[in-house]
Every structure is written in structure tokens, then in C-alpha cells.
Amino acid sequence: MLVEATGITKRYGTTVALRDAGLVVRAGVTHALVGRNGAGKSTLVSILTGLQAPDEGTVRFSGRNAPPLHDRNAWRRNVACVYQKSTIIPSLTVAENLFLNRQPGRVIRWGELRRNAAELLATWEVDVDVTRPAGELAVEQRQLVEIARALSYDARFIILDEPTAQLDGPAINRLFDRMRGLQERGITFLFISHHLEEIYRVCDEVTVFRDARHIVTGPVASMPSSELVAAMTGDATALIERASRPPLPAGTPAVLDVRDLRTSDGPPVSFRVAAGEVVGLAGGGGSGKREIAETVVGLRRPQGGTVTVDGTVLKPGSVPASLAAGVGLVPQDRHAEGFVADLSIAENLTMTVPRRLGRFGLISRRRRDRLASGLIEELAVKTPGPDLAVSALSGGNQQKVVMGRALANDPKLLVLIQPTAGVDVRSKETLLGVVDQVRSGGTGVLVASDELDDLRTCDRVLVLFQGRQVAEFGSEWSDHDLVAAMEGLGRDEQGRRIDDE
């Protein structure tokens, strides 16, 4: 056994990220780790790479206990991780990235450094000019450079975290060919992916995590896709039950009309959201759901197509135009995009509606606090008052503030991107309950998420796979069928259905 993690428990405050979980990886195989968001995969990776220690449990490499956390070189000799977000420094050359912080001696001999870099890449058959700035490399090339850098530490266990999320079909095929070649040379991979069809293409064994626990491990060949999806979703009842809603009246006007929208080099996407309708965009990493949602609200400029909100064609890539048209947004990353941590709750809730707070550029504190207090009460934000800094709130209450800011302008269209990521159960109930409230008032809602609870409130769910719409579900769908469609099971790299033999 090359890697053994046993009895791993990790807590963050009251949140249990892993509970008595384990993973065993045999030398020379490609082992898949799968599970829904929040299953504990990322936490386990951070423990396997020595970025943090478990509260309970042990990690062993080739039968020996893992090194102390401070001995980074020892960890690099045992394991390396190629993350979805590249760790390559764009402004440095390929050679400089390969030997960063480990050049021999106090004086850098640049010729020798470049020769060593070229020899390293040649050893692992990576055809990249070592003198090029890393920022000029394609995503596929950056990944190969990172793999070569990891191998240069003599690590023979490499974790690939969503490696195909930003690759097209041919690049994915080349990556898989490279993985098979390295596996023949004794390299062991832990492969993490939301696309289950990739698991069946490249992996030997698979482990499923669900709700911070290890569920099952077994050979990929003997685990049908239906069994794998069932292990990921479980039999637990839905947090948000689907309410039986009557269909919208015929002729209900569209509050959002997306026509031939191109967010990348993929195919165009078209869809409508009627007033009072909730439409979901579902898919795993690299599906394009987030890019479409961010384009609708003006955070991204499309390569083509139009976005029309309540009859107004929006200026491409313009957040002010979206706000003026009546669009509210709950972004995916609340810390980076959702709020200003040092400002008060009241300031965050009302920052997009200054005209409602006063005249001639002056803001009435009384009006601001009145509007903020109403939103605080509506969303059940736990706070002693509106003047508290948002940074002092829990994650769930911070997300409620982000939702409140989106509602402050009485939006005609509400766009939610992973709206309940990283929040507690009670906060999730509140946030998703808001969706039912606003739809009853005629607001259209677009939900971009791969969380099943987020999608249960939708009237329709459009499933995307590698930038293409591959399925559409009404309000009556099963967890199994939706997850299978999201993971691309039964489809080729272009998203086309593969008929069962």
C-alpha cells in the first residue's frame, strides 16, 4: 500500500469536514476520489499533502508515518498535488518555475539552470521551451510542467484535482495518454473529478465520500455507474422538499432571454426564464454554468450572443447595465465578490441602492438602517444591530447579507451561483426559502449550481457538460438521473449521447 489514511477526523469549529474517514491507494494504480461538494475531498487532500494535520487519525506512505508538517521537502518526496488553479507563477520562465527556491548555491548559473530544466522536461517527455514565460503556456502545458516539477522531487504519488476542468476534448485525451504512460513507469495517481465518465476511462479503483465519511471503495470495472451515483447521493431525504406548483400560465412573459450566448470557444447556449419561474443551470467543474451566470450579470464579456432582461438588451460585460435593468446577484465566492468585510452589515446590504438612501449624493443613515433592518429581519441575520462589521458574522449569516444585498433593489431577475455553498443547514433553509418568496412576486430566478438542494426548488433544470446543454429536466427528477447527466455519463467528450451496446 503506497498511501494509507485511516481514522481521519477534521473539525473546523462546529463543522465536521471529515469524520473517521479513510483512503488506501495501492502503488502503481490510478485511484479515483469522488463525492458531491462538501463530501470532504478537499480536506483530505490538504491532509495528504501536509498542509494541515488531522485532529484524529494517521497518514502513512509506504508503511512509514507521514513526516512532520514543517518538513516540506520530506512531504514533496512523498506526494505532490496539481490543483485545478495553477500554482505556476506566470511572470517567471518555465525553468525558473521548475527550480524556484531550490537552485544550487547562492549564485544562480542561468545556463546550468536552463539545461537542468530542459533535461527534466525531456525525461518526462514534456515538450515545452524552458525559456518561455509561464504565463504564455496553455492550460495543458502548465499542468504538464507542474507534473514534471512534482516528479523532480522523486514523488511517485501525484494528486490531480479536477485536472480536466479547463481542458477541451483533445487535450483531455492527451492528458489521459500521458497519465497511462507515467503509470507504466511506476507513478501512482489520485484522480479527483466531477465527471464520472472520466473515472471509467482512466481509473482502476474508486473511493466515494459522502457527508464527510468514507462510503465505499472498489474496482471501477465492477462498480456500475448507477451504483456509483447512488453511493454519492445516498438515500437521505431532501432538505428542501419540492413543492407541487402549478405550471406557469401560457404566455407568461420572459424576464430573461439568452440568445446564442457564447462564453468561450464552445457552442452557443439559448434559454428563457419567465417571470415567476426558477430555472437551474447544473453541471460539474468546467461545465460552463458559472460562466453563463456571470455573463448574464455583466461580470464577463461574451464572445457572442445577447442577454435581454425584461425587454432591455444588456450592454455586454457591464455590471451597471445589469443593475439598472433590475438584476440581483449572489456570486459564488462571497469573500472575494460578495461583501466588503470591514464595512457594516447595513453598508453591505445597501451598497447597490444609494439612490434609495438620499438625494444629491448624500446618504441618510436613517433610511439606510431602516432598509437594512428590514432585510436583516426578513433573512433572520443573527446580529446585535446593523452597524456590526460583516467580518464578525458566521459564514451562513454572511451569505444571508449577500442575498439581502441582491434583494435590496427589488430585482426582476435574481441570479444565484452556488448560493448555499459552505453554510449550515438552517441558513440553507432560509436562503432557499427566499427563492419561493421572490418567485411568488413575479421575479425570475436563475440558479447555477451542482448542489442538489439548490436545484430542488427549480421549475426546470438545464444540464451543461463541457459547455454544451445536454439535458433538460422538469420539476420531477430523480437524484440519480440528474447526477448522471451532470457527470456526463453516457456521453463523449463533445457531450453527445453514447448509445448503450
Side-chain angles (χ1 to χ4, degrees):
M1 299 303 170
L2 182 65
V3 181
E4 297 173 273
T6 57
I8 304 296
T9 295
K10 185 65 180 180
R11 302 179 183 86
Y12 300 98
T14 58
T15 300
V16 180
L18 286 173
R19 187 189 303 275
D20 194 26
L23 176 73
V24 176
V25 181
R26 296 187 300 113
V29 306
T30 294
H31 194 114
L33 177 62
V34 300
R36 308 296 297 157
N37 284 350
K41 303 188 301 295
S42 296
T43 302
L44 181 65
V45 168
S46 68
I47 291 172
L48 290 178
T49 53
L51 296 181
Q52 57 182 335
D55 297 327
E56 301 171 19
T58 59
V59 176
R60 296 170 65 83
F61 296 104
S62 300
R64 297 184 298 274
N65 288 334
L69 293 187
H70 64 81
D71 192 348
R72 296 309 306 162
N73 286 332
W75 278 95
R76 292 188 184 101
R77 289 191 293 271
N78 283 292
V79 58
C81 184
V82 179
Y83 297 94
Q84 181 178 344
K85 185 176 181 180
S86 175
T87 59
I88 293 292
I89 299 176
S91 59
L92 299 182
T93 67
V94 171
E96 290 166 341
N97 272 282
L98 287 171
F99 291 100
L100 186 65
N101 287 333
R102 54 181 178 139
Q103 62 275 5
R106 300 180 63 180
V107 178
I108 299 176
R109 295 178 174 85
W110 293 105
E112 180 181 351
L113 180 73
R114 287 188 285 269
R115 285 193 299 273
N116 290 341
E119 291 174 2
L120 171 62
L121 295 185
T123 299
W124 299 106
E125 300 176 352
V126 178
D127 185 16
V128 174
D129 182 357
V130 299
T131 65
R132 286 182 64 186
E136 296 179 0
L137 300 180
V139 174
E140 179 184 6
Q141 293 174 313
R142 290 200 300 268
Q143 287 185 341
L144 294 177
V145 169
E146 291 194 81
I147 291 174
R149 182 174 62 184
L151 294 170
S152 70
Y153 285 97
D154 292 329
R156 292 300 179 264
F157 175 54
I158 298 180
I159 301 172
L160 299 179
D161 187 5
E162 296 287 353
T164 65
Q166 301 179 55
L167 300 179
D168 58 19
I172 292 173
N173 291 334
R174 289 191 293 270
L175 173 64
F176 289 171
D177 288 342
R178 183 59 55 86
M179 289 174 61
R180 295 184 186 101
L182 291 173
Q183 189 175 348
E184 292 174 356
R185 299 171 67 174
I187 305 302
T188 300
F189 291 99
L190 181 63
F191 185 81
I192 301 173
S193 176
H194 281 293
H195 301 317
L196 296 190
E197 57 92 19
E198 296 177 353
I199 305 302
Y200 287 94
R201 289 178 61 189
V202 76
C203 295
D204 305 296
E205 299 176 351
V206 59
T207 290
V208 179
F209 275 20
R210 186 179 75 240
D211 299 332
R213 296 177 182 271
H214 171 273
I215 301 301
V216 65
T217 294
V220 171
S222 63
M223 191 173 296
S225 60
S226 58
E227 184 178 329
L228 190 57
V229 172
M232 293 171 59
T233 57
D235 298 322
T237 57
L239 172 68
I240 303 298
E241 297 293 341
R242 298 190 195 115
S244 57
R245 293 183 295 274
L248 292 171
T252 301
V255 71
L256 171 66
D257 190 357
V258 174
R259 293 288 182 91
D260 299 325
L261 189 68
R262 299 176 66 96
T263 60
S264 63
D265 294 331
V269 175
S270 299
F271 62 91
R272 299 168 75 251
V273 179
E277 183 183 28
V278 182
V279 174
L281 297 179
S287 65
K289 64 182 184 298
R290 177 179 179 179
E291 289 79 2
I292 291 172
E294 291 182 344
T295 301
V296 167
V297 301
L299 289 175
R300 293 174 181 262
R301 186 179 182 88
Q303 294 186 6
T306 60
V307 175
T308 304
V309 174
D310 199 30
T312 300
V313 179
L314 301 187
K315 179 182 178 181
S318 172
V319 172
S322 297
L323 287 172
V327 180
L329 168 69
V330 174
Q332 177 166 320
D333 188 342
R334 62 176 174 267
H335 299 283
E337 304 165 323
F339 57 78
V340 181
D342 293 334
L343 294 184
S344 69
I345 297 172
E347 290 168 324
N348 273 280
L349 284 169
T350 60
M351 63 172 53
T352 60
V353 289
R355 294 183 180 179
R356 296 183 59 180
L357 308 180
R359 301 174 61 188
F360 311 114
L362 300 176
I363 292 177
S364 166
R365 179 172 180 142
R366 180 179 299 176
R367 289 187 185 180
R368 184 199 70 188
D369 289 352
R370 185 186 306 123
L371 176 59
S373 296
L375 291 167
I376 289 171
E377 182 177 358
E378 178 182 350
L379 293 166
V381 180
K382 293 183 178 180
T383 175
D387 292 328
L388 184 71
V390 171
S391 58
L393 297 176
S394 66
N397 284 293
Q398 289 175 345
Q399 190 74 347
K400 291 178 184 178
V401 171
V402 178
M403 177 70 84
R405 186 194 65 182
L407 299 175
N409 199 30
D410 298 325
K412 299 173 184 176
L413 173 69
L414 182 62
V415 179
L416 312 176
I417 307 176
Q418 299 285 146
T420 65
V423 304
D424 59 272
V425 173
R426 189 174 297 276
S427 295
K428 179 182 286 191
E429 291 176 334
T430 300
L431 292 166
L432 296 181
V434 169
V435 175
D436 284 327
Q437 295 174 19
V438 299
R439 70 144 50 97
S440 64
T443 296
V445 184
L446 182 65
V447 182
S449 181
D450 58 4
E451 290 286 350
L452 298 183
D453 283 327
D454 293 351
L455 300 171
R456 295 188 203 283
T457 190
C458 296
D459 300 293
R460 291 186 292 130
V461 178
L462 312 180
V463 180
L464 303 171
F465 182 77
Q466 295 181 358
R468 299 173 181 268
Q469 182 182 332
V470 296
E472 179 174 339
F473 293 87
S475 59
E476 300 298 325
W477 45 263
S478 70
D479 290 5
H480 179 281
D481 290 343
L482 185 61
V483 170
M486 290 165 60
E487 305 296 353
L489 290 172
R491 298 184 183 277
D492 64 14
E493 61 267 21
Q494 279 77 44
R496 298 173 300 204
R497 183 177 295 280
I498 302 172
D499 292 331
D500 293 332
E501 297 182 356

